Amino acid sequence: MSDIGDIRMQVMWNRLISVVEEQALTLLRTAFSTSVRESGDLSAGVFDPSGRMLAQAVTGTPGHVNTMAEAVLHFMSEIPRGEMFAGDTYVTNDPWKGTGHLHDITMVSPSFLDGELVAFFACTAHVVDVGGRGFGADGKSVYEEGIQIPIMKFAEKGKVNMDLVRLLRANVREPNQVVGDFYSLAACNEVGHRRLVDMMTEIGLSSLDDLGEFIFSRTRDAMKARIAAMPKGSWSNELTTDGYDKPVRLAATVSVRDDHVEVDFTGSDPMSRHGINCPIIYSKAYACYALKCVVAPDIPNNAASLAFFTVTSPVNILNAVRPAPVALRHIFGHMVPDLVLGALAKALPGKILAEGAGALWNIHISVKPVSGGAGRTAEVLMFNSGGMGARPGLDGLSATAFPSGVHTMPIEATEHTGPIVIWRKELRPGSGGDGEFRGGLGQVIEIAPMDGHEFDFSAMFDRVNHAPRGRSRRSASTTARRCAPRAGSTFRPDGGSSSNCRAAAAMAIRPGAAPRRGPRTVREATSRRTTDELHFLAPVGGQAVGLHGGVHGRQGAARQGYRRHRPRPRRAGLPDAAAYHRGRLSGRQIGTDPLHGLSRHARGARGCGLEVPA
């Protein structure tokens, strides 16, 4: 191809990326769930008629993008070409053919030009509810975790399947939000289709074959060169996490060959009877993401780049098979990058970031009026992040969602969703560990229902008993913490992936921090805390309101450093937080024993607390 031809193809490639970016922004702007419209928990992409991903939107998460790349092939095998029509949209939430759990909806739409199939558009998003036991680890099989939608048509020739819509409304707690998100997903693909047709008509293309070959050939050449420059061999790593009722061991061996990279999860613990198992499609997605961050972070993500990574595993907690419960598959799925990067750190010493908080600290809150009272009911989902691990030569980013890349939900948007009040959201000083380069800071968040309301909540977390490890001398950061579900006490549970409680007054969460790099003596604890405290604005008149920094990006970054206090009841002689808890969390105690493991139930009238890691 001539230089002019190459330039023309590159321009069309960039144009194609703009098409899928507009596709994703349509979903962001029309979604009903805050997890989508505020946090970007989604993916969008365009595929050739063979089901190979040509381009993905920058907006989105690696777990959604890389599972979507495989999911389209499942749709094509289930729906014959002769049953595909213009105006169709297909849907599923099958954990093994979609994105790993029932809360994620995947939609695929064929794109026709002059009667010929020229592409597929696909998108995914996390919806607020799918019925069943709710978002938690309590289910003993996938059948208890919510409604299952096999690969089927959401719309045929532009006509929506109203039987499916009625079925959804009858099985979820927030029917308007869920059904609204289904329509947003369909609109997302429709916008992608329209922009692609406009592009092809304007340029005079009848197919994407030549453009696809250009994209894949350039990507293959670049990937071959990067892998050839990598050291060859095999390296192993193990990671111990909190688990549900006992710690869980994750293991991986990374092998760099002449023309590809292999990851094998042999040695990981068996499947759990609780909903923390991870289907291989999701484990593979985050393993590939970790590899790509190291091998080729600047090469576009598409079918050709992903083809250089092979992920295998026997049946275990990272390769769970049906009908295993998988609702909280993200807990260990988000640990996979640390697991893989730990192995690569042995091949590339001094070039890999340290372990971080890993899994998101998700809280699902079910708010309702107190017994006999009037008010509003709502399902509220929050994404909270701890700190990233220290980087080579730099501190880790604070309160940043790595590896998921979702944005932190703004307080105002969360409060608008349901009758709750977020009294405090701030970075957690001193939580990044000691060392020349510390890990990113965790955060403290304090939440209460509005007057006349109470809530049940499911908190999903890890790194409570097993802190992230540093790369130098394997020094760890602080672990997560959570408050006891009674006034004025704090405890550390024996596990940490999920906890369900009933509460009427408040809770505080503290995601743990990430670990440091380098010798401890280079940057002592006193110096570290002083530096951390410079990130905060001083209180003014008893109320601190401030905004520090702005690490805010689409992929692998989140808003950080937001600190917000609201006036709360105070008692003389007590710290502010303690005064609030002791002054407000009156009523009967919610149990005398710590909440052990991922999901223990506690019931009571007035209070619940929770602290999370960075």
Side-chain angles (χ1 to χ4, degrees), residues 68-275:
M68 177 184 68
E70 187 173 334
V72 171
L73 298 174
H74 291 297
F75 279 84
M76 294 175 65
S77 66
E78 293 275 346
I79 301 176
R81 171 64 183 85
E83 297 179 12
M84 295 181 180
F85 309 104
D88 280 5
T89 297
Y90 318 125
V91 64
T92 191
N93 68 343
D94 187 320
W96 288 269
K97 296 180 179 180
T99 64
H101 69 173
L102 298 176
H103 278 78
D104 285 342
I105 308 300
T106 301
M107 283 198 180
V108 175
S109 303
S111 181
F112 290 87
L113 176 63
D114 298 328
E116 295 295 325
L117 179 65
V118 294
F120 289 98
F121 282 90
C123 58
T124 63
H126 183 108
V127 297
V128 69
D129 185 64
V130 289
R133 285 180 172 265
F135 198 18
D138 297 317
K140 298 303 183 287
S141 75
V142 70
Y143 303 113
E144 300 179 29
E145 295 181 330
I147 185 171
Q148 297 187 58
I149 306 170
I151 291 176
M152 62 185 299
K153 291 190 177 184
F154 175 69
E156 182 175 76
K157 298 180 181 179
K159 185 178 180 180
V160 172
N161 182 350
M162 296 308 298
D163 289 335
L164 174 58
V165 172
R166 285 189 288 270
L167 193 64
L168 288 170
R169 287 190 173 278
N171 281 276
V172 300
R173 297 171 181 85
E174 290 281 357
N176 290 336
Q177 283 195 51
V178 173
V179 172
D181 283 339
F182 270 63
Y183 280 97
S184 295
L185 286 158
C188 163
N189 284 350
E190 175 64 19
V191 167
H193 160 69
R194 292 180 182 182
R195 295 297 175 266
L196 178 65
V197 169
D198 290 344
M199 166 187 151
M200 295 179 70
T201 302
E202 176 186 330
I203 297 173
L205 296 177
S206 59
S207 77
L208 296 176
D209 293 348
D210 291 342
L211 178 57
E213 179 56 33
F214 177 84
I215 292 172
F216 294 146
S217 63
R218 296 304 188 275
T219 301
R220 278 193 295 265
D221 292 344
M223 289 294 296
K224 287 178 181 178
R226 296 297 177 84
I227 292 176
M230 293 278 291
K232 304 301 184 290
S234 296
W235 300 269
S236 297
N237 186 38
E238 294 182 4
L239 194 65
T240 301
T241 63
D242 295 340
Y244 187 96
D245 47 0
K246 60 182 179 181
V248 170
R249 175 176 175 263
L250 306 179
T253 299
V254 177
S255 302
V256 181
R257 308 303 185 191
D258 291 336
D259 58 354
H260 68 284
V261 182
E262 302 170 358
V263 177
D264 182 63
F265 294 126
T266 298
S268 297
D269 277 353
M271 290 192 299
S272 171
R273 63 190 182 92
H274 305 289

